Amino acid sequence: MAATKIIDAPRNGHEMAPLNTRARGDGTHGVTIVLTAPQRNSVQSVDIPGGEPERAAWSGKMQFFLSIIGYSVGLGNIWRFPYLCQQNGGGAFLIPFMIMLILEGIPLFLIELGIGQRMRLGALGVWNTIHPWLGGIGISSCIVTLFVALYYNVIITWVFFYLFNSFRYPLPWSTCPTNSTGFELEECAKSSETTYFWYRTTLDAAPSMDEPGGLKWWIVLCLLLSWTIVFFIVMKGIQSSGKVVYFTSLFPYIVLTIFFIRGITLRGAGAGLMHMYTPKVEKLLEPTVWLDAATQVFYSFGLAFGSLIAFGSYNTPKNNCVRDVLLVSVCNAVTAIYASVVIFAILGFKATVNVDRCIASNTEILVKSNLLARNDTTTVAYEHAMSQVNTTELSRLQLSECSLAHELDNAAEGTGLAFIVFTQAIVELPGAPFWAVLFFTMLLSLGLGSQIGILEGMLCTLFDIDIVKRVKKQHVTGVVCLFCFIVGFIFCTGAGEYWLKMFDSFAGTIGLVVVALMEMIAVIFIYGHERFTEDIYQMTGYRPGRYWQWTWRYIGPVIMVCILASSIIFMVIRNPTYGAWNADLGMIEQKDYPNWVMGIALSMILAGVLPMPIVFLMRSFQCLKVDLDIHQGSIRRNETTASTKEMIDNDDDEDEDDENDFSGPALGGHVKTQSDFSDDEEEDKPMTMRMMMMRPTTTAKTANVLNVPTSRRPNFKKEAYDV
């Protein structure tokens, strides 16, 4: 345990007035108690038994920067952004994306990082310190983060399964399995090799959520491995995870560069890039394009999870957080564009190979039908023969449409892109297992980097609670990981992918947007934009100008309201469905969610939103008698200095002995005043810092006398200076 020792504490305007005002006749006073603000340069850490450890801090600037990059740059940059570019106007989509990045992403990014650095607290402590009625924001953020952490680690589980199978040669998804007679299985023949391996070999997909089937033991083992690795990474906070980020943040860029060099040399890469980045300006007139851009910016930064607040709280007070925000924002956007180039260069190659196969199949059919001479199968002859075939003959001869544009338009997103489409492209590359290992190791590092940040934000929020922070972090982290592993069994059934898509659609959408909107309102309109601007100036030497003020106060909240309203409207208008695997047809078919599943989805949404109004009402009306002393604990962590530390430690000891009563103002409990203590209790209990500040003024006779209580346990050293 470490405590602090004052070496030199100059006065800085925060001193308390003299408590003993009895003049000695020479115009001076007897005893003066001075409370100084924290001075980093004047405090030296020493190991004293019973002391409280200092807050964890980054070991260097590079560790902080890589942690932020590893958290912000995640799987969405690989499998979500390229799909949005393709569907929303190609290169033209970069225009709304950049605009939303400037108007929405960067301003809210600075709010979270700046307020965390200023308060040096987690999400729960920050909002309690700004105002006790806002404590529900931290609770909502923690609950939504828990939901996301549950299913995000399942993606890492699937990546592990594919990574292990990537060491086999040939790759198990390169060919269809055969039955006892030597023919390909019908389910694989009707779909594709990679599709069959995903839905049947990996997931053993159930026909619907009402028929989930049993647990898949191979998925359970990979899930156990995933949570075990995550536990060992985050069990000591940034002291352990800070070392891992050097790999999880840098390795994906190395792999992307290798794929980029290989991809642009492949046949068809140029066609894929042209298809993706050819701007379709008319798409910008559609409101959904701008909504998709705003949503992508919001989720790509990982806003409202509490992780950015936690990361900022580990910084030094003089860290230039404005520069960090700008650097990370640029890096995030460049990474998304860079990954899109790599993905579509590879997909262009895959599309070209598929078109060549299609043409070869059609050519064989035309030759057998005597519509094409066997000795003249050139491209010109093939196109001429196809032009002579009418629609009826196309259907009769079972000729396929071989179009490069059609192949590229069929690009997928999410798990479909990573585990079906891209794996098919890898099969076509020489030395396929090598490229498969590289690709899934990159996905693993991206997933772990984001999962570390998600859990760090949630655990930092939990440790803002007095009861929790008395327990070792390893124990709390172990309990959280074990709980998530057990709940994660629902993702290990045949309906696991269906549950994951349901969590992704409902648990982490509306709740996060509401939390982000409330964060902006809390900082700018309750804490005060002028005060926050001054905080930024004191920390960085840069005073935010009109751009920041307009985006914080007007533009940012309007964009968040639009995202929230559109999300609710689309959820109501469009009947929520999920894609279920039909083994008989070898394809996905859309099904409505069962009513009981929609009830669970609604419960998750309410669980992520209701803590904010509940805490507000309970604290404003003081209707909760039992309360965790979150707010006071947050204030102690924020304001405690070496000169007041021992007195406040004494106060903590008294709280532990107070009949196990943890009531306080955090969730609306009764705020104790002087009248709550009997005269006998006043005589027996030692005077604490909180009691001294709450002590009312009595008569003139006693007001001028410094009342020093006698304690049964001398808890701190008292020194009087004759001034």
Side-chain angles (χ1 to χ4, degrees), residues 70-82 151-156 159 296 300 339 414-415 417-419 439-440 442-448 450:
Y71 168 68
S72 300
V73 178
L75 296 173
N77 296 77
I78 301 296
W79 66 29
R80 176 66 177 168
F81 183 80
Y151 74 82
Y152 202 89
N153 217 38
V154 177
I155 301 175
I156 300 176
V159 172
Q296 173 63 20
S300 66
T415 55
L417 174 63
F419 300 113
F439 178 68
F440 289 110
M442 178 187 68
L443 292 185
L444 178 63
S445 59
L446 287 171
L448 285 176
S450 298

Side-chain angles (χ1 to χ4, degrees), residues 660-674:
N660 297 322
D661 181 16
F662 298 101
S663 57
L667 296 175
H670 178 60
V671 181
K672 292 185 178 181
T673 61
Q674 190 72 13

Side-chain angles (χ1 to χ4, degrees), residues 628-648:
L628 302 180
D629 200 2
I630 298 172
H631 183 52
Q632 296 293 340
S634 302
I635 292 179
R636 285 198 295 272
R637 291 172 64 189
N638 189 33
E639 304 295 342
T640 301
T641 65
S643 58
T644 62
K645 175 176 173 47
E646 293 175 304
M647 287 187 285
I648 293 179

Side-chain angles (χ1 to χ4, degrees), residues 558-590:
V558 169
I559 293 176
M560 300 308 299
V561 170
C562 291
I563 295 177
L564 178 61
S566 60
S567 299
I568 297 176
I569 291 174
F570 287 153
M571 194 174 294
V572 173
I573 295 179
R574 300 176 182 175
N575 186 30
T577 60
Y578 68 99
W581 177 248
N582 189 321
D584 296 330
L585 301 177
M587 60 181 296
I588 293 293
E589 60 179 2
Q590 296 298 318

Side-chain angles (χ1 to χ4, degrees), residues 468-674:
V468 177
K469 69 181 181 181
R470 295 171 185 171
V471 184
K472 287 185 177 181
K473 187 159 190 175
Q474 293 92 326
H475 298 165
V476 176
T477 305
V479 170
V480 171
C481 291
L482 179 62
F483 171 79
C484 292
F485 169 68
I486 295 175
V487 176
F489 283 170
I490 64 172
F491 303 107
C492 300
T493 64
E497 189 196 25
Y498 314 150
W499 279 105
L500 185 139
K501 290 184 177 179
M502 190 275 284
F503 268 70
D504 188 47
S505 300
F506 296 99
T509 53
I510 294 179
L512 283 178
V513 177
V514 172
V515 169
L517 179 61
M518 293 304 300
E519 286 181 353
M520 189 167 282
I521 293 175
V523 174
I524 302 305
F525 298 102
I526 299 178
Y527 185 75
H529 68 92
E530 294 180 351
R531 184 178 179 184
F532 184 64
T533 300
E534 183 64 25
D535 289 341
I536 297 296
Y537 175 72
Q538 294 293 334
M539 292 187 296
T540 66
Y542 167 76
R543 188 178 299 277
R546 292 184 178 179
Y547 157 71
W548 299 101
Q549 303 299 330
W550 279 81
T551 52
W552 284 338
R553 298 167 63 185
Y554 308 112
I555 302 176
V558 169
I559 293 176
M560 300 308 299
V561 170
C562 291
I563 295 177
L564 178 61
S566 60
S567 299
I568 297 176
I569 291 174
F570 287 153
M571 194 174 294
V572 173
I573 295 179
R574 300 176 182 175
N575 186 30
T577 60
Y578 68 99
W581 177 248
N582 189 321
D584 296 330
L585 301 177
M587 60 181 296
I588 293 293
E589 60 179 2
Q590 296 298 318
K591 291 186 176 182
D592 294 334
Y593 282 108
N595 292 332
W596 62 275
V597 174
M598 289 303 300
I600 295 176
L602 181 60
S603 300
M604 290 192 298
I605 295 175
L606 295 178
V609 175
L610 286 183
M612 289 178 279
I614 289 177
V615 171
F616 171 80
L617 293 174
M618 286 186 171
R619 287 182 172 173
S620 58
F621 291 104
Q622 296 287 304
C623 56
L624 189 63
K625 298 301 181 183
V626 179
D627 188 11
L628 302 180
D629 200 2
I630 298 172
H631 183 52
Q632 296 293 340
S634 302
I635 292 179
R636 285 198 295 272
R637 291 172 64 189
N638 189 33
E639 304 295 342
T640 301
T641 65
S643 58
T644 62
K645 175 176 173 47
E646 293 175 304
M647 287 187 285
I648 293 179
D649 284 344
N650 179 42
D651 191 18
D652 290 338
D653 294 336
E654 291 300 325
D655 291 340
E656 294 175 9
D657 299 332
D658 192 15
E659 298 180 359
N660 297 322
D661 181 16
F662 298 101
S663 57
L667 296 175
H670 178 60
V671 181
K672 292 185 178 181
T673 61
Q674 190 72 13

